[in-house]
Amino acid sequence: MTTTTQPLLAVRDLQVAYGGIQAVKGLNMELYEGELVSLIGANGAGKTTTLKAICGLLQPRSGDILYQGRSLKGQGAWNLPAQGLVMVPEGRGIFTRMTIDENLRMGTYLRSDDEIEADIERIYTRFPRLKERMKQLAGTLSGG
């Protein structure tokens, strides 16, 4: 179910290459607020490359990415979190020498609203094992 007529994120004819190897070829997609979307494909299909391009970690060869109706062209990855667009790392892409709680709080670094504590508590409610281990170094987690 969509809540708006304008997509929250729109990818238009995205093409991304590593040198002469084209990893993403003409991708088009629209994601609307409230949707739960999965990007699936075989190894080497361009899933991670697509996400890195959306988040400004890779420059597309061509095409456009619009977030909340605005083009992200020319913006670096460092500009996007303040706009609400981030990539959640996979695997062990965490701050290993910081606690679980410190890692969660790093995700709020650019926020100044009054909902931070409620959001962190919501995460701990959803993942009670994290709350039990909130003072544990994140690098000592099993990764599972």
Side-chain angles (χ1 to χ4, degrees), residues 3-35:
T3 57
T4 64
T5 57
Q6 175 179 301
L8 182 63
L9 179 71
V11 177
R12 308 273 190 244
D13 195 30
L14 182 68
Q15 297 186 37
V16 185
Y18 295 99
I21 300 172
Q22 194 163 358
V24 177
K25 304 171 187 175
L27 175 69
N28 289 288
M29 67 178 177
E30 292 182 343
L31 291 81
Y32 291 86
E33 187 174 338
E35 285 186 321

Side-chain angles (χ1 to χ4, degrees), residues 5 7 20 35 38 63 84 102 111:
T5 57
E35 285 186 321
S38 296
E102 290 168 334
R111 290 178 57 182

Side-chain angles (χ1 to χ4, degrees), residues 29-104:
M29 67 178 177
E30 292 182 343
L31 291 81
Y32 291 86
E33 187 174 338
E35 285 186 321
L36 180 61
V37 178
S38 296
L39 186 58
I40 59 173
N43 288 345
K47 301 177 300 291
T48 300
T49 299
T50 297
L51 293 176
K52 285 182 175 181
I54 290 170
C55 293
L57 297 172
L58 289 175
Q59 282 299 315
R61 177 177 279 177
S62 65
D64 201 4
I65 301 161
L66 296 105
Y67 180 65
Q68 297 179 334
R70 294 183 307 271
S71 176
L72 299 180
K73 279 185 180 176
Q75 294 193 45
W78 55 90
N79 291 321
L80 302 180
Q83 297 174 50
L85 185 62
V86 297
M87 182 170 165
V88 177
E90 62 180 307
R92 289 198 165 269
I94 57 174
F95 299 104
T96 58
R97 295 181 185 256
M98 296 172 71
T99 66
I100 291 165
D101 193 62
E102 290 168 334
N103 267 269
L104 289 175

